[in-house]
Amino acid sequence: MPRGQGSSVSTRENPKVDRATDSNDDSRKNRRGAYLLLGLLIVFLHGSWSVYQIQFGSLPLPLDAEQAGKRGFSEASALKHVKYLTGLGPHPVGSDPLDHAIQYVYAVAEKIKKTAHWEVDVQLELFHTDIGANRLSGGLFKGKTLLYSDLKHVLLRVTPKYLPEAEENLILVSSHIDTVSTTEGAGDCSSCVGVMLELARGVAQWAHGFKSGILFLFNTGEEEGLDGAHSFITQHHWRNSVIFAVDLEAMGISGKSTLFQGTDHWALESFAAVAKYPSAQIASQDVFSSGAIKSATDFQIYEEVGRLPGLDFAYTDTTSVYHTKNDKMALLKPGSLQHIGDNMLAFLLHSAASPKFLKDAQQRKQGKTEQDRAVYFDILGKYMVVYPLRLATMFHNSIILQSLLIWGTSLLMGGHPALVSFAISCLSIILMWIFSICLPVVVAFALPYMCPFPIPYVANPWLTIGLFGSPALLGAFIGQHIGFILLKRHLRRVHSKAKTGITPSMIENVTDLEAERWIFKSGFVQWLIALILGTYFKVGSSYIALIWLVSPAFAYGFLEATLSPVRLPKQLKVVTLVVGLVAPVVSSAGLAVRMADVIVGSIVRIDRNPGGLPDWLGNVIVSVAIAVVVCSTFVYLLSYIHISGDKRILGLLLSLSFGLSIALASSGIVPAFTEDVARSVNVVHVVDTTGVHGGHIEPVSYISLFSNTPGKLTNELVDLGGEEFSCGRNMTTDLVTFTVKYGCWSYKESSTGWSRSEVPVLLVESDSVIGGARQTVVSVDTKSSTRWTLGINKDGIDDFTVQVDSEKIVLPGDKSEIDGWHTIQFAGGKNSPTKFQLTLYWSSSKPSEREAKQAADAPLLVKLRTDVNRVTPQVARVVEKLPRWCTPFGKSTSPYTLAFLTALRVDI
């Protein structure tokens, strides 16, 4: 920093003594009152919350059909479609309700075709897929092969009637009709289907002026592993005409549909230029692409398989209802569909009519231009900023170099005292992070022992402010204050040796003020390091670090620093803090709140292997996330507290906030779960024949109860009296795609509701050695099930093929594995095949070692789970007795309510 206020005083210099610091009363004058500090804290928190509400909470007024007009977007009209689709109940692949949903979408599309502008050509098609195999290499699909059959999609192509070349240049708009088996899918993704139907109606009135056509794809099979998008992009005759893809998704219900993935600068710029209510965050793209969120969208298919540029949008409000019974019409917020509808209609009209957009998309698809990554974000949902990542890197590097130059010059001018002060201020940052993380983590470990549920705040996320925010803020202050004390000791020695002629009381006052400035400037160091790391790893959201560095530094340099001869420091101005934090709060406070909300909502399904994670892990994740936000955003504000005479009041207020939150959570006054924000609890009737080869004659049948939410099922069993459940870690169930490591079993009346004719069959047809390599052919009969999962032990198997009749649908080739297993997932319609031939190619390496292992424990070679979408009487009775704050959670790897298990062992 420049010499002057804030720099350590060299022993060779005699600073001028201002009259303002020439009195013993100065120490008291420099103490900020409790009301001022409390006011600053309230302004900061209220400002952050206001930014969040403006950026993510404000929605446009919904329009009815008359207000929208013939060419506009009407939320009321879109909601009619959503209401019908949700009224069908859950409609997963292969179900009758899904057939009804497809028929409805097709019928609405026919009306759109009939009412289109006379110069617009509308082509409608019901596409019936062939059997196919989807093998993506990354993300959730590592170690998996996804098979599908008998899927049906509705395609609606809108092109200008007198421009044939538009048919060869299509902008794809895609979403899925199907839901998981546990929800009616109001958000995921009936709302998307309703929006697309209303968009298609409007676009059909505009397309006579288009240069590109628009193709609306209403696919099925997305919930089973992106099968619908894959079948279109690999099988349909229009696939080669698509030059750009837009995907609409949901990871929650309603609110603003945010752009969270975008491939190219020019596409993002096009959206930013016309979006009426832009909502876009590259920070979400960074988190999603990192794998921290265990999810995927059809966009992955369009990008990886289709090699298409595009944009991906999703709802993220109330993410706790994702794939549960609470994804329902009643929770859709008014204005949500209007928001994405207005944005998408404006974008489609602009991009389809733009020759430049057409040219850019064609060049990108043909590989004539490389993917041009960009930084993008919205400001309060009003404006959208887009610029190339390469420009961001150049700008960041410039700021980094300038910052390092300023710091280096300042430290050289300050000499040894300044270097020591700098080191201690950096230590204060480290201590702040350590204490801020440790205190809430201790609370996170303790919560499972203090509250009825390990995570008592899901239904009321505001509890995390007291449970984790207060300890995090207190810890941050304690760690920073330790650094402040060490700084004072160092500066006191420096000034005492300087022999400047100032009194001991003045030295004490000066050290307070100078230490305060060093603590404030340590925030620059923190964000400079973040900017350096983000730029090095090409993290798009590094712009946040840039704003948190530059804005406070500019405010400090403009309002505090001076080029006059060295003077004794003065108290930091409050206006410096306020001015310095305006831009950072506006740019990132809303995003921080949204990220915290998504993390809290995701805790209800964090345990992918129920009982496999400690009860405290979800709390630790939330507490660390909140501590990171506190340390990142409060680093400047906390520096104003250290010379206050009211530090005890701050500690008292934070302790009271924490104590009140603990009391509310532990007493159950504030419920951990409600009917609308419920705990994940799945009930499955399991018929297990894996032990038949071990000597059992009859299959083992039981009702399995498990939860993806941390915590035991003690509270649920209170309402299940008489159902004879036994719980524990010995009640494990291997469901192929995951293992229930803590669950509950009940054998009561479980022998009925299913028949032996439904039990799948694994039969060894041949086991031979051909050309020195062992091959085993296994026939797989899934009986009535058209949804199944099969695991292959890769410990002894090098490769495999899958054949239906005479057609090989899985060919030989490298196949990845997870924990030694490769998984095949199949999902299809009612007419899908149920008999398959699996050929296993054994490894020829180290046969003696493998045979010794096989002889020792005879592990499973192949394991199979088949699903039947039927509720047995026993399951129905248990579900009816479960508390209203329980909900089943569904995903592509989850079993239906009736599941059959069988296996083959290695010693076949």
Side-chain angles (χ1 to χ4, degrees):
M1 303 303 296
R3 292 179 65 186
Q5 295 184 24
S7 60
S8 290
V9 179
S10 172
T11 56
R12 298 185 299 272
E13 297 171 333
N14 294 325
K16 295 183 179 181
V17 180
D18 289 336
R19 295 180 62 86
T21 60
D22 202 22
S23 168
N24 292 333
D25 294 333
D26 287 332
S27 179
R28 288 190 294 272
K29 290 180 181 178
N30 291 329
R31 295 177 185 269
R32 298 183 179 92
Y35 290 114
L36 175 61
L37 297 174
L38 184 60
L40 287 173
L41 180 61
I42 291 174
V43 167
F44 182 80
L45 294 177
H46 183 267
S48 300
W49 180 251
S50 298
V51 166
Y52 170 74
Q53 286 297 320
I54 295 171
Q55 188 169 11
F56 292 101
S58 60
L59 294 167
L61 291 175
L63 303 180
D64 59 28
E66 184 178 349
Q67 292 171 318
K70 196 174 183 179
R71 293 185 168 188
F73 183 92
S74 166
E75 177 174 300
S77 299
L79 281 175
K80 291 179 181 178
H81 308 312
V82 180
K83 184 177 181 180
Y84 180 88
L85 294 173
T86 55
L88 296 172
H91 36 281
V93 168
S95 67
D96 289 334
L98 181 59
D99 289 338
H100 296 321
I102 294 170
Q103 292 168 10
Y104 174 81
V105 172
Y106 189 87
V108 174
E110 276 191 319
K111 292 181 181 178
I112 293 171
K113 179 178 180 179
K114 292 176 182 178
T115 59
H117 190 279
W118 67 275
E119 291 184 290
V120 173
D121 182 38
V122 177
Q123 295 294 318
L124 178 61
E125 184 176 330
L126 181 62
F127 176 51
H128 197 168
T129 70
D130 296 327
I131 193 167
N134 174 13
R135 217 166 66 196
L136 295 172
S137 58
L140 295 177
F141 304 100
K142 182 181 179 182
K144 292 182 180 179
T145 297
L146 305 174
L147 308 180
Y148 53 84
S149 175
D150 191 33
L151 300 179
K152 297 176 183 177
H153 314 321
V154 178
L155 291 94
L156 183 71
R157 190 184 69 177
V158 183
T159 57
K161 187 171 292 184
Y162 304 113
L163 191 66
E165 54 266 36
E167 297 179 2
E168 302 304 317
N169 299 287
L170 300 177
I171 297 172
L172 175 69
V173 183
S174 172
S175 193
H176 61 95
I177 307 174
D178 63 306
T179 70
V180 293
S181 63
T182 55
T183 178
E184 63 189 37
D188 186 19
C189 210
S190 294
S191 61
C192 308
V193 172
V195 166
M196 284 175 56
L197 287 171
E198 179 62 6
L199 284 172
R201 182 199 62 77
V203 165
Q205 305 301 323
W206 288 92
H208 53 284
F210 286 178
K211 299 292 185 286
S212 307
I214 297 180
L215 174 62
F216 293 92
L217 169 62
F218 304 86
N219 71 61
T220 62
E222 191 273 349
E223 296 293 7
E224 299 299 340
L226 317 183
D227 296 335
H230 186 272
S231 62
F232 166 78
I233 213 70
T234 57
Q235 296 183 18
H236 197 270
H237 58 278
W238 284 342
R239 67 185 185 276
N240 294 324
S241 300
V242 177
I243 59 172
F244 191 84
V246 176
D247 183 50
L248 303 183
E249 255 298 351
M251 202 181 76
I253 185 169
S254 69
K256 289 188 175 182
S257 185
T258 300
L259 170 61
F260 74 104
Q261 290 191 95
T263 56
D264 292 84
H265 171 241
W266 53 267
L268 291 161
E269 259 192 347
S270 295
F271 177 76
V274 296
K276 293 181 67 175
Y277 317 105
S279 181
Q281 293 294 337
I282 194 174
S284 300
Q285 178 171 320
D286 290 337
V287 173
F288 196 80
S289 60
S290 72
I293 297 178
K294 304 297 182 181
S295 188
T297 72
D298 284 339
F299 189 75
Q300 184 174 348
I301 296 290
Y302 301 135
E303 186 178 16
E304 291 186 18
V305 181
R307 304 297 179 186
L308 294 171
L311 304 175
D312 200 6
F313 298 82
Y315 296 112
T316 54
D317 265 21
T318 322
T319 187
S320 57
V321 309
Y322 176 69
H323 282 193
T324 72
K325 68 178 183 182
N326 292 320
D327 186 1
K328 54 191 178 183
M329 190 82 177
L331 295 184
L332 277 174
K333 295 179 182 177
S336 301
L337 274 59
Q338 193 70 48
H339 173 266
I340 183 61
D342 282 344
N343 281 346
M344 286 309 307
L345 182 60
F347 173 71
L348 293 176
L349 296 181
H350 168 76
S351 56
S354 170
K356 182 181 184 303
F357 187 93
L358 172 61
K359 180 180 178 181
D360 288 338
Q362 287 176 330
Q363 290 180 342
R364 171 73 161 77
K365 184 184 177 183
Q366 294 167 4
K368 296 180 181 178
T369 59
E370 295 295 325
Q371 180 175 330
D372 186 12
R373 292 180 60 195
V375 176
Y376 59 91
F377 55 92
D378 70 271
I379 300 176
L380 299 178
K382 309 297 182 184
Y383 310 98
M384 184 171 167
V385 178
V386 182
Y387 51 94
L389 183 60
R390 62 180 183 274
L391 176 62
T393 301
M394 293 171 57
F395 184 53
H396 293 179
N397 287 335
S398 173
I399 295 297
I400 290 169
L401 290 175
Q402 291 179 56
S403 299
L404 293 176
L405 179 63
I406 292 173
W407 270 111
T409 303
S410 177
L411 294 177
L412 286 175
M413 292 175 65
H416 181 265
L419 288 171
V420 175
S421 298
F422 175 77
I424 297 175
S425 64
C426 291
L427 176 63
S428 75
I429 293 294
I430 297 173
L431 293 174
M432 177 185 72
W433 280 85
I434 291 174
F435 279 84
S436 184
I437 291 175
C438 286
L439 288 188
V441 164
V442 169
V443 177
F445 278 105
L447 279 181
Y449 303 99
M450 302 172 64
C451 302
F453 294 95
I455 48 171
Y457 45 80
V458 175
N460 297 279
W462 54 266
L463 274 177
T464 58
I465 298 174
L467 292 174
F468 303 127
S470 294
L473 186 56
L474 182 61
F477 174 74
I478 291 173
Q480 203 182 71
H481 194 65
I482 292 173
F484 177 78
I485 293 172
L486 295 175
L487 266 171
K488 282 183 60 177
R489 291 181 179 176
H490 162 66
L491 294 171
R492 189 182 295 116
R493 287 195 298 269
V494 170
H495 286 291
S496 297
K497 295 177 180 178
K499 298 180 181 180
T500 56
I502 58 177
T503 63
S505 61
M506 291 176 62
I507 290 178
E508 188 66 25
N509 185 43
V510 167
T511 56
D512 278 346
L513 297 174
E514 193 168 355
E516 178 184 64
R517 288 173 176 266
W518 274 110
I519 293 296
F520 184 87
K521 292 186 292 184
S522 67
F524 305 159
V525 179
Q526 170 180 289
W527 284 108
L528 177 59
I529 293 172
L531 181 61
I532 292 171
L533 293 175
T535 303
Y536 178 79
F537 290 106
K538 298 187 183 303
V539 179
S541 51
S542 298
Y543 76 90
I544 296 174
L546 177 72
I547 296 173
W548 279 89
L549 168 64
V550 172
S551 181
F554 177 80
Y556 181 88
F558 184 73
L559 298 172
E560 302 289 351
T562 177
L563 297 177
S564 61
V566 178
R567 298 176 181 272
L568 292 178
K570 294 182 179 180
Q571 187 179 33
L572 284 175
K573 302 179 181 70
V574 173
V575 68
T576 303
L577 181 70
V578 175
V579 171
L581 293 187
V582 169
V585 168
V586 168
S587 66
S588 57
L591 179 62
V593 176
R594 170 46 56 92
M595 288 293 190
D597 183 58
V598 169
I599 292 173
V600 170
S602 301
I603 297 299
V604 296
R605 55 184 181 273
I606 188 176
D607 202 345
R608 302 184 72 83
N609 294 288
L613 299 178
D615 291 348
W616 44 260
L617 184 60
N619 293 329
V620 168
I621 293 173
V622 175
S623 64
V624 170
I626 291 176
V628 168
V629 172
V630 167
C631 289
S632 301
T633 58
F634 280 81
V635 62
Y636 298 112
L637 177 59
L638 289 176
S639 64
Y640 278 68
I641 302 175
H642 299 291
I643 60 175
S644 166
D646 301 296
K647 293 184 285 290
R648 293 182 180 179
I649 295 178
L650 172 67
L652 179 62
L653 289 175
L654 294 177
S655 299
L656 286 174
S657 173
F658 170 71
L660 179 61
S661 300
I662 281 287
L664 292 174
S666 60
S667 65
I669 295 175
V670 177
F673 302 99
T674 65
E675 186 170 355
D676 285 341
V677 181
R679 185 187 185 190
S680 158
V681 178
N682 284 53
V683 183
V684 181
H685 194 149
V686 177
V687 181
D688 188 355
T689 66
T690 56
V692 171
H693 297 284
H696 296 292
I697 298 175
E698 293 294 325
V700 177
S701 176
Y702 56 90
I703 309 300
S704 174
L705 194 71
F706 60 87
S707 175
N708 295 99
T709 308
K712 296 181 179 179
L713 297 166
T714 308
N715 294 281
E716 288 79 0
L717 291 183
V718 172
D719 288 24
L720 294 177
E723 292 302 326
E724 302 177 7
F725 276 100
S726 298
C727 302
R729 295 193 175 276
N730 58 328
M731 306 293 181
T732 60
T733 305
D734 185 350
L735 293 168
V736 183
T737 52
F738 67 95
T739 301
V740 178
K741 298 184 177 180
Y742 169 86
C744 302
W745 288 5
S746 172
Y747 295 96
K748 183 180 178 181
E749 302 176 10
S750 62
S751 59
T752 59
W754 58 276
S755 67
R756 289 191 67 95
S757 64
E758 295 178 295
V759 177
V761 175
L762 292 173
L763 180 64
V764 178
E765 292 186 351
S766 65
D767 187 25
S768 58
V769 177
I770 301 176
R774 182 182 177 186
Q775 295 182 16
T776 302
V777 179
V778 179
S779 66
V780 181
D781 187 352
T782 63
K783 300 299 182 175
S784 62
S785 174
T786 58
R787 185 182 191 261
W788 51 266
T789 305
L790 184 143
I792 299 173
N793 191 338
K794 290 281 288 178
D795 180 60
I797 303 300
D798 265 354
D799 204 353
F800 65 86
T801 61
V802 178
Q803 183 172 313
V804 176
D805 296 328
S806 59
E807 179 185 1
K808 282 189 177 181
I809 55 175
V810 178
L811 301 175
D814 292 335
K815 298 179 177 71
S816 57
E817 62 185 73
I818 293 181
D819 298 329
W821 290 86
H822 186 92
T823 304
I824 302 174
Q825 290 180 218
F826 181 93
K830 292 189 285 290
N831 296 320
S832 296
T834 58
K835 294 183 179 180
F836 303 82
Q837 188 179 76
L838 175 68
T839 303
L840 304 174
Y841 301 93
W842 292 73
S843 171
S844 58
S845 61
K846 300 182 180 179
S848 58
E849 179 182 329
R850 190 183 70 249
E851 290 171 2
K853 182 177 180 181
Q854 294 171 7
D857 53 16
L860 296 179
L861 175 67
V862 175
K863 52 186 180 180
L864 173 67
R865 185 194 86 216
T866 59
D867 300 328
V868 178
N869 193 16
R870 185 172 75 242
V871 179
T872 63
Q874 298 81 0
V875 169
R877 189 176 63 247
V878 172
V879 170
E880 180 64 28
K881 287 186 177 182
L882 278 175
R884 296 299 92 188
W885 42 263
C886 292
T887 177
F889 169 66
K891 52 184 176 180
S892 62
T893 54
S894 294
Y896 283 163
T897 47
L898 177 57
F900 295 86
L901 305 177
T902 192
L904 287 177
R905 298 193 177 274
V906 170
D907 58 343
I908 54 176

